[in-house]
Amino acid sequence: MTGFRNKGLRPTRRAALTLIGAGALVVGGTNFARAAADDDEVLTETKVLRDPDVPVAGNPDGNISIIEWSDYNCPYCRKLEPELRQVIQDDGKVRLVMKDWPILGPVSVIAARIALAAKYQDKYHQAHDAMMGVSSRLTEPRINELLAAAGVDMDRLKGDLTAHGKDIDAVLKRNNDQAEAFGFRGTPSFIVGKYRVPGVLSMAEFEQVIADARKAKMN
């Protein structure tokens, strides 16, 4: 199984907003091409935005994409989840790309693999919501309990983990390689349109950066 490591403490909200305001975090166009050359094509626009094996929420035809790297044992991810989903629902034109990035230990890797295995029975979002909706640290027995309660077929899940294990690990490796190439140091981390956002934002701050990303897209 692919190994993952926690590369450091999360930046503060103030640091994240300073970076956004600096205007030096555009990752589209020529910067995508440069990053691709530097990182063995890890950050091609297609691989980051359109990986067919990575789940998508919100409006699949939205005019702005938010890419989120998250860990099921990350308390910041859990706290942010309902607020981010509310922003996306209220906006109506945001496509959310959900990159599982399990960097907080072996149980995080188990949780991410199980969530992606649930995708084969069209239950990824149920699995994701069940694990993000708890306040305590996950354990493998607790994960199984939560997913069963969410309507996931656990026998099929076990079979899909075996049958598709290599594909699932390949998705997690791609997610990890992209996060590291972008220089993210913890979860949650985001790309919003053309902006790199390494940290937690409030609803109002997300609304503002989405508006800024739309303006940048037109320029």
Side-chain angles (χ1 to χ4, degrees):
M1 186 184 300
T2 304
F4 299 88
R5 62 185 181 277
N6 189 339
K7 298 191 68 178
L9 297 175
R10 296 167 188 79
T12 64
R13 181 180 300 175
R14 181 185 298 274
L17 291 176
T18 300
L19 290 170
I20 293 168
L25 296 167
V26 175
V27 295
T30 57
N31 279 15
F32 253 125
R34 177 183 57 74
D38 292 346
D39 294 294
D40 194 25
E41 299 188 352
V42 167
L43 297 187
T44 63
E45 190 165 358
T46 298
K47 289 179 180 178
V48 174
L49 291 175
R50 306 287 173 185
D51 188 330
D53 297 320
V54 170
V56 172
N59 183 343
D61 300 315
N63 57 20
I64 282 293
S65 291
I66 294 179
I67 311 168
E68 178 185 16
W69 282 263
S70 64
D71 185 305
Y72 291 108
N73 261 326
C74 167
Y76 298 95
C77 299
R78 292 173 180 167
K79 181 179 179 181
L80 179 69
E81 178 84 2
E83 296 185 356
L84 175 60
R85 292 306 183 94
Q86 188 64 53
V87 169
I88 290 171
Q89 180 179 323
D90 291 347
D91 183 283
K93 296 181 180 179
V94 175
R95 177 176 177 267
L96 176 63
V97 182
M98 304 168 71
K99 304 247 183 192
D100 290 291
W101 188 27
I103 57 174
L104 298 177
V107 174
S108 291
V109 177
I110 290 169
R113 295 184 84 247
I114 285 176
L116 289 171
K119 184 173 181 284
Y120 291 94
Q121 55 179 285
D122 296 324
K123 292 289 179 68
Y124 173 87
H125 294 288
Q126 289 88 331
H128 175 92
D129 292 348
M131 290 189 285
M132 281 294 183
V134 297
S135 57
S136 58
R137 191 166 182 84
L138 294 171
T139 63
E140 188 170 1
R142 180 64 172 144
I143 291 169
N144 292 332
E145 178 185 310
L146 288 167
L147 268 61
V152 176
D153 182 332
M154 300 306 289
D155 290 332
R156 176 171 177 182
L157 182 78
K158 198 174 298 183
D160 286 333
L161 275 170
T162 300
H164 302 288
K166 289 184 179 178
D167 294 331
I168 290 169
D169 290 340
V171 173
L172 294 179
K173 184 178 187 304
R174 290 198 296 275
N175 292 351
N176 181 72
D177 289 348
Q178 291 166 8
E180 291 192 344
F182 276 124
F184 293 138
R185 297 177 62 84
T187 53
S189 292
F190 301 90
I191 300 293
V192 181
K194 293 183 176 182
Y195 292 97
R196 174 180 173 273
V197 186
V200 177
L201 301 183
S202 68
M203 289 179 67
E205 289 160 351
F206 260 118
E207 289 169 355
Q208 184 60 57
V209 76
I210 288 167
D212 291 344
R214 284 201 172 102
K215 289 179 183 177
K217 187 177 179 180
M218 297 176 66
N219 295 333

